[in-house]
């Protein structure tokens, strides 16, 4: 990997340190160059000024939860996250960067509509970090999206994805009343599959793209359980593609807004696409409410997120989105949320302001209390936020 800079320097800000991952897995071609970590960030530091700097990089994962992996293996190749390699001008401003990718013989480079052995001076049409695949797996063109599937994936997974993904994407496009500016990418990798019956799904989304990794023996053969997980998880990741029209105002914006919102949007998309009934939507919300109540006993949502209690963060964000949206639904709330975020991005204040316009100050006070106050009986507060039990929803703790 070579940095070719317009101006010479003797220090280059590479961004967050990822627990020293670069210092371990990046080796400078020239002597006198080192990776130094300062205040949680990595810097390439040299004895002399440079405009060209080359590293040999081990294509391995950083294994940090809620962070994009620099490399994810797919079928003898790798999915590369370009954000790991774009330098910064400051803590929040990345340098304008283009990439030249050269694949080894027999491999291809696949990103958005590109499919070639070499790309010169490429950048994402979203002016944002992207996933780029380098390897031997060929793309599958499904019209609305281009996918790269791990050759190790069972045939039924690819067949189902080609069938249900277009319906989910159409549902989200209609719910948001907005089309994506490019055909999107779906990248699917297979993890270990040695544990019988286990179904694990991990995913990440970027503007116009998402990747998923499936692990566990439960994926080897088609089943109603596996298909249900695949559909809902794909809907969650796809929802992020529309959410990306709004950006957080800073890194301090809590994950529950984005991730919980994606859960709520995915549930609406499942109903709109015809994969769920209203009763299944109700049950999904009831389960989220119960997980939220269990995860927040004697602590606030802010505290749960600070402790990386992601099950509670996702579930409570789902509940708060539904509560804030009211009868018009999560997609209506997020359409307006996207419009209002503008260039300044979104934050908790914008979320609460929009919720108050829709649901009134009393309900917003309850939402704010769940976010900020350690509550001994969160299930009672959640019960006040959501429809009453006689409308089909009952909240209990410890479910």
């Amino acid at each position: 990997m070579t940095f070719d800079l317009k101006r010479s320097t003797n220090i280059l800000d590479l961004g967050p340190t990822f627990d020293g991952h670069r210092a371990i897995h990046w080796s400078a071609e020239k002597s006198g160059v080192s990776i130094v970590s300062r205040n949680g960030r990595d810097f390439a530091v040299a004895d002399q000024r440079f405009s060209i700097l080359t590293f040999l990089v081990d294509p391995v994962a950083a294994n940090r939860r809620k962070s994009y992996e620099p490399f994810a293996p797919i079928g003898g190749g790798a999915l590369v996250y370009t954000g790991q390699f774009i330098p910064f001008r400051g803590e929040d401003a990345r340098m304008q960067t283009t990439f030249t990718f050269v694949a080894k013989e027999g491999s291809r480079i696949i990103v958005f509509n590109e499919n070639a052995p070499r790309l010169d001076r490429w950048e994402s049409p979203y002016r944002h970090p992207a996933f780029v695949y380098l390897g031997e797996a060929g793309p599958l063109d499904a019209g609305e999206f281009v996918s790269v599937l791990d050759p190790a994936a069972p045939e039924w997974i690819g067949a189902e994805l080609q069938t249900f993904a277009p319906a989910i994407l159409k549902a989200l496009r209609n719910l948001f009343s907005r089309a994506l500016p490019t055909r999107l990418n779906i990248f699917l990798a297979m993890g270990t599959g040695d544990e019988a019956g286990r179904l694990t799904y991990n995913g990440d989304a970027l503007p116009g793209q998402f990747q998923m990794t499936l692990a566990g023996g439960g994926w080897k053969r088609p089943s109603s359980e596996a298909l249900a997980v695949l559909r809902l998880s794909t809907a969650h990741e796809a929802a992020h593609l529309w959410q990306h029209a709004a950006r957080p105002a800073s890194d301090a914006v809590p994950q529950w807004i984005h991730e919980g919102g994606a859960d709520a949007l995915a549930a609406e998309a499942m109903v709109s696409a015809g994969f769920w009934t209203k009763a299944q939507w109700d049950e999904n919300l009831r389960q989220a409410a119960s997980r939220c109540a269990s995860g927040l006993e004697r602590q606030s949502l802010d505290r749960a997120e600070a402790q990386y209690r992601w099950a509670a963060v996702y579930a409570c964000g789902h509940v708060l989105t539904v509560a804030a949206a009211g009868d018009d639904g999560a997609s209506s709330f997020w359409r307006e949320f996207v419009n209002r975020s503008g260039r300044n991005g979104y934050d908790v204040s914008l979320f609460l302001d929009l919720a108050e316009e829709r649901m009134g100050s009393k309900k917003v006070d309850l939402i704010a209390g769940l976010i900020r106050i350690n509550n001994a009986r969160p299930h009672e507060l959640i019960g006040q936020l959501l429809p009453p039990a006689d409308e089909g929803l009952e909240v209990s703790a410890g479910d």
Side-chain angles (χ1 to χ4, degrees), residues 1 54 117 134-135 151 198 246 300 336:
M1 181 194 66
T54 299
L134 291 90
R198 182 168 67 94
S300 66
E336 183 63 21

Side-chain angles (χ1 to χ4, degrees), residues 45-391:
V45 180
D47 295 341
Q48 299 179 348
R49 296 182 70 84
F50 60 84
S51 58
I52 294 179
L53 192 61
T54 299
F55 291 89
L56 182 65
V57 179
D58 297 328
V60 297
N63 294 318
R64 277 194 60 169
R65 186 77 189 273
K66 301 305 294 178
S67 297
Y68 295 107
E69 292 290 357
F71 300 96
I74 298 181
L79 190 66
V80 179
Y81 169 58
T82 63
Q84 179 81 189
F85 308 101
I86 300 177
F88 286 75
R89 292 193 190 89
E91 289 195 5
D92 295 321
R94 295 180 186 270
M95 292 185 181
Q96 184 176 354
T97 304
T98 62
F99 287 85
T100 294
F101 294 100
V102 181
K104 69 179 183 181
E105 186 175 354
S107 292
R108 310 285 290 180
I109 301 155
I110 298 171
V111 54
F112 295 112
N113 288 327
E114 303 287 351
N115 175 14
R118 179 183 178 117
L119 290 180
D120 289 289
R121 300 188 65 80
W122 177 88
E123 64 179 334
S124 167
Y126 292 89
R127 298 292 181 91
H128 191 276
F131 294 127
V132 179
Y133 175 73
L134 291 90
E136 298 178 4
L140 295 175
D141 191 330
E144 195 161 3
F145 64 91
V146 175
S147 61
V148 176
L149 306 184
D150 194 322
E155 285 189 16
W156 76 268
I157 292 177
E160 287 288 355
L161 187 67
Q162 301 288 100
T163 299
F164 73 73
I168 288 174
L169 295 172
K170 180 180 179 181
L172 285 165
R173 184 173 64 247
N174 291 339
L175 288 169
F176 272 86
S177 301
R178 178 192 295 256
L180 295 176
T182 63
R183 288 203 302 169
L184 64 92
N185 289 155
I186 299 176
F187 301 100
L188 186 146
M190 295 302 298
T192 58
D194 51 352
E195 189 175 334
R198 182 168 67 94
L199 291 167
T200 299
Y201 181 112
N202 290 305
D204 281 310
L206 291 169
Q209 303 174 304
F210 66 88
Q211 70 88 20
M212 62 183 87
T213 300
L214 310 181
W219 295 110
K220 291 182 179 179
R221 297 175 184 83
S223 67
S224 58
E225 293 82 2
L227 183 57
V229 171
L230 188 61
R231 282 176 174 171
L232 182 57
S233 299
T234 299
H236 172 101
E237 297 302 334
H240 282 318
L241 304 181
W242 274 266
Q243 284 180 313
H244 279 309
R247 302 286 174 81
S250 73
D251 290 342
V253 175
Q255 288 282 341
W256 63 259
I257 295 179
H258 199 65
E259 297 295 353
D263 273 358
L265 290 165
E268 282 193 12
M270 290 289 283
V271 175
S272 180
F275 298 127
W276 275 6
T277 64
K278 178 58 165 59
Q280 287 172 299
W281 183 93
D282 287 337
E283 175 61 16
N284 178 257
L285 179 58
R286 187 195 70 80
Q287 291 179 7
S290 295
R291 287 196 303 274
C292 178
S294 298
L296 294 194
E297 288 189 10
R298 301 187 184 278
Q299 69 174 334
S300 66
L301 179 52
D302 280 345
R303 185 183 176 105
E305 181 155 339
Q307 295 176 346
Y308 308 118
R309 301 183 63 169
W310 297 120
V313 170
Y314 280 54
C316 293
H318 183 171
V319 169
L320 295 190
T321 301
V322 172
D327 293 339
D328 290 339
S331 56
S332 173
F333 183 91
W334 263 92
R335 282 199 306 270
E336 183 63 21
F337 202 50
V338 167
N339 291 338
R340 295 198 187 186
S341 65
R343 293 186 177 183
N344 295 325
Y346 64 81
D347 56 15
V348 175
S349 294
L350 180 62
F351 184 95
L352 295 177
D353 287 346
L354 183 54
E356 184 169 4
E357 289 180 21
R358 286 172 169 249
M359 304 305 296
S361 59
K362 183 177 179 180
K363 182 158 283 192
V364 167
D365 287 344
L366 294 174
I367 292 173
L370 200 72
I371 296 168
R372 298 165 181 155
I373 299 173
N374 298 337
N375 197 309
R377 294 185 177 88
H379 59 283
E380 293 181 2
L381 192 153
I382 293 168
Q384 296 176 60
L385 284 171
L386 295 175
D390 59 6
E391 293 185 22

